[in-house]
Amino acid sequence: FDGAADFARNDVFAGAGRLAGTSVSISCGAADPFIGNDRSFASRLAHRPAGEFTAGCHDEDFWRRMLPAQVRFLARHMVPT
């Protein structure tokens, strides 16, 4: 988001209900500055998302560690066209 107006136009919290029929994965490190918002967003979803809240931060090491599970998630949920 590039500011408050952009966030208001694209408020992901307000749109959480639109994900009811969609597979969602959320992974976040315990030291990540976004963890509170990520946990709050996950709690608004109709179904518990895949992914995990675990040790780590919002950095390359964390995402490298999460990448295999994220790719498996995408492979399971992508629909061929």
Side-chain angles (χ1 to χ4, degrees):
F1 304 106
D2 61 9
D6 185 34
F7 182 84
R9 278 191 309 273
N10 301 288
D11 185 346
V12 295
F13 285 83
R18 293 186 300 211
L19 295 173
T22 303
S23 299
V24 176
S25 179
I26 300 174
S27 292
C28 188
D32 190 311
F34 302 109
I35 194 163
N37 288 332
D38 288 353
R39 286 185 189 275
S40 178
F41 183 74
S43 74
R44 293 175 184 228
L45 298 174
H47 302 284
R48 182 180 174 163
E52 61 184 304
F53 296 103
T54 186
C57 193
H58 199 95
D59 60 18
E60 288 181 27
D61 290 336
F62 177 80
W63 292 114
R64 257 191 221 105
R65 198 171 79 238
M66 295 294 107
L67 183 61
Q70 295 295 320
V71 170
R72 285 191 300 273
F73 174 83
L74 290 172
R76 282 192 312 272
H77 298 286
M78 291 183 72
V79 178
T81 58

